[in-house]
Amino acid sequence: LTGPYSAAFVMILSLQTANTAGHMKGVVTNAVLFLGCCTGNIAGPFFYKGGQSPRYQLGIWSMIVNHLLEVDVILALRVLLSQENKKRDRMQGVGEGESVEAWVEREREADRIAFSDMTDRENLNFRYIY
């Protein structure tokens, strides 16, 4: 049961890094992620009661439920990020009917603000990865 945890943790770290723009927002998001991880590591052993030895039903079921919730959260994040990307595309007029001039202008604007310290919410050219 601990195998999926490692894979999911690495995936969450990469999603967080790729989908957070702006230095301060990235630092705060990283801190909150690691605080949550530490809280889980502190609370986890308390689900393994000595009286339930050797099966530890509460501990095992807490891990199973946690992994299922993790999958649900990741799928919900995918849906939300996809909707946000589509919304940004509509706002900027990205699509099949876009002229070459509009595309060139949009790319110039994206290049101009690419390395500014704007958050992903402020920079409408930012696209989320899922």
Side-chain angles (χ1 to χ4, degrees):
L1 285 174
T2 59
Y5 168 78
S6 299
F9 184 66
V10 171
M11 185 171 71
I12 293 295
L13 286 177
S14 64
L15 280 172
Q16 181 269 327
T17 302
N19 289 319
T20 306
H23 178 71
M24 189 64 181
K25 185 175 181 182
V27 169
V28 170
T29 306
N30 234 352
V32 169
L33 181 70
F34 280 107
L35 280 174
C37 181
C38 292
T39 303
N41 286 335
I42 291 169
F46 292 105
F47 287 95
Y48 289 85
K49 306 287 185 189
Q52 294 181 348
S53 175
R55 292 189 149 190
Y56 299 106
Q57 295 93 343
L58 180 62
I60 297 299
W61 278 104
S62 69
M63 287 179 67
I64 291 170
V65 168
N66 186 35
H67 288 316
L68 293 174
L69 288 173
E70 205 170 32
V71 169
D72 290 343
V73 167
I74 290 170
L75 291 175
L77 182 65
R78 184 195 195 297
V79 169
L80 290 172
L81 295 179
S82 174
Q83 287 175 345
E84 182 65 24
N85 282 349
K86 288 176 185 173
K87 178 179 145 189
R88 289 175 183 220
D89 286 346
R90 279 192 309 271
M91 286 173 50
Q92 291 185 327
V94 176
E96 294 177 17
E98 183 179 29
S99 68
V100 174
E101 294 82 18
W103 179 82
V104 168
E105 184 58 35
R106 189 170 44 82
E107 289 298 315
R108 281 188 188 143
E109 177 67 14
D111 289 344
R112 188 181 66 75
I113 61 174
F115 294 104
S116 63
D117 194 25
M118 296 172 73
T119 67
D120 46 284
R121 292 283 183 185
E122 295 170 335
N123 183 358
L124 294 179
N125 293 311
F126 188 89
R127 293 300 183 268
Y128 295 101
I129 299 171
Y130 44 89

